[in-house]
Amino acid sequence: MDQIPLGERISDAVALLTGKRTVRCPHPSCSVSVRYHHVTPDEAKRLSDVATDHTRH
């Protein structure tokens, strides 16, 4: 997996501190990420599935 740029890692950490969750595509050159906050468990799973399934974006 490619290295995530420092700015994005800092942004993800700040989001985590404010209660948001960030999920990134594991495909090596894909920069897609999904960040969510206050969603139902079903919606969190759906968003995570979209972010991690490279064929869907």
Side-chain angles (χ1 to χ4, degrees):
M1 186 160 133
D2 292 345
Q3 189 70 13
I4 299 171
L6 180 60
E8 289 182 37
R9 291 185 355 219
I10 291 171
S11 177
D12 291 350
V14 170
L16 187 60
L17 290 172
T18 62
K20 296 175 184 169
R21 167 108 164 115
T22 304
V23 182
R24 296 187 177 282
C25 178
H27 192 269
S29 65
C30 185
S31 62
V32 169
S33 67
V34 173
R35 186 171 288 162
Y36 58 87
H37 185 247
H38 292 301
V39 298
T40 65
D42 288 340
E43 181 66 359
K45 179 169 179 1
R46 187 189 74 77
L47 292 169
S48 294
D49 289 347
V50 168
T52 58
D53 185 354
H54 188 67
T55 62
R56 293 177 71 182
H57 55 264

